[in-house]
Amino acid sequence: MSLSSIDFLSVVRSCIPEEAEIIVLKQEGDPAAILYADVDGDGFPEITALYRYLDHQYLFSLKEYSGNWFPIGSASTGKDLAVKDFAAAPVSRKEGWDVLIGWERADEPIAELDIIQWTQTGFQRVIPPGTTYSHLEIEDMPTRNGPDGLCEIALWTQEQGQAYRVETYRWDPYRLVPTSDVHAYYFQKVARYYENLTQEQPNEGLYRSYLEDAQKRAGGI
């Protein structure tokens, strides 16, 4: 089945209670919380979505058989927070992508990261609560040996104004750990961000200090 032939909204709505609503992300354009990715590791993509029903939010996946879609797993998220980010990526393993959810904390300008795996017994969280961020980027960041097929995570945490503390992480196994061997690649992007800010606000010394730090990290210092 080709990607263009799938009406994702209609498929998801047909598989959830009539009174349920598909979660909408707190992003520009209000996109629906629907993914199309291989989360169970069988080599074929599933539809994975978030929906709200009777004041509870649920994560579930659908698999296509002979042109029809059937639920293969569903679990309550245990949260009733707005969703900032919803993505699938090979963070902990190359086969069976992880589902990443950014829960927006009420009255706070930060989100809390959830990483969820599909297992034989259903969905399971793989990191404890408490990993927070303002902006999230997921990418297979190359080291000196190139990319390895697994994604690292960059967490930007707002400190002052438009200045962020940026840290990169990778899975090692059973947890996210800080990693510096991708700094030469990723902090070039961070440096460009602060270069633009210093050009826009040349009298703001704060951003210049962040730029210098990013340049040092990009240079492996």
Side-chain angles (χ1 to χ4, degrees):
M1 181 176 292
S2 68
L3 181 62
S4 61
S5 68
I6 304 173
D7 184 340
F8 292 99
L9 285 172
S10 294
V11 170
V12 172
R13 287 193 181 112
S14 71
C15 296
I16 61 178
E18 185 176 350
E19 302 82 2
E21 59 177 311
I22 301 170
I23 300 298
V24 172
L25 304 184
K26 302 289 283 187
Q27 297 180 7
E28 184 177 352
D30 300 324
I34 299 175
L35 303 172
Y36 188 58
D38 179 17
V39 298
D40 68 357
D42 69 348
F44 299 94
E46 292 77 42
I47 295 175
T48 300
L50 287 167
Y51 69 92
R52 180 180 290 107
Y53 180 61
L54 298 179
D55 297 324
H56 293 279
Q57 294 194 68
Y58 296 88
L59 173 70
F60 81 124
S61 286
L62 304 168
K63 183 173 285 294
E64 186 263 333
Y65 296 102
S66 302
N68 296 304
W69 292 90
F70 300 92
I72 61 168
S74 178
S76 172
T77 65
K79 298 180 185 291
D80 191 24
L81 301 173
V83 181
K84 181 176 182 178
D85 295 295
F86 189 54
V91 173
S92 68
R93 54 193 182 182
K94 296 179 183 179
E95 296 180 354
W97 286 16
D98 304 288
V99 176
L100 295 92
I101 306 175
W103 300 102
E104 196 169 80
R105 289 185 171 181
D107 303 320
E108 294 186 54
I110 59 173
E112 182 171 343
L113 180 64
D114 232 343
I115 300 180
I116 299 172
Q117 284 182 353
W118 168 260
T119 72
Q120 293 299 319
T121 58
F123 291 111
Q124 291 189 1
R125 289 187 177 90
V126 296
I127 61 170
T131 299
T132 59
Y133 66 92
S134 305
H135 174 66
L136 166 73
E137 291 197 342
I138 310 161
E139 182 182 350
D140 184 359
M141 303 176 192
T143 66
R144 291 182 178 179
N145 297 320
D148 62 1
L150 291 170
C151 286
E152 284 74 28
I153 294 174
L155 300 181
W156 297 53
T157 304
Q158 189 173 20
E159 294 193 319
Q160 305 176 62
Q162 294 172 274
Y164 295 81
R165 182 179 75 255
V166 182
E167 298 294 343
T168 54
Y169 298 85
R170 73 158 50 93
W171 192 259
D172 181 31
Y174 311 119
R175 61 189 179 129
L176 287 176
V177 297
T179 182
S180 60
D181 58 0
V182 297
H183 283 184
Y185 165 78
Y186 189 75
F187 274 86
Q188 294 180 48
K189 178 184 294 189
V190 179
R192 287 194 295 271
Y193 169 78
Y194 287 113
E195 285 170 357
N196 291 333
L197 277 181
T198 56
Q199 291 172 5
E200 295 168 1
Q201 303 178 51
N203 296 324
E204 179 55 77
L206 172 67
Y207 300 137
R208 188 162 299 280
S209 67
Y210 277 82
L211 170 59
E212 291 172 355
D213 178 70
Q215 289 173 331
K216 289 179 180 178
R217 297 172 84 173
I221 301 174

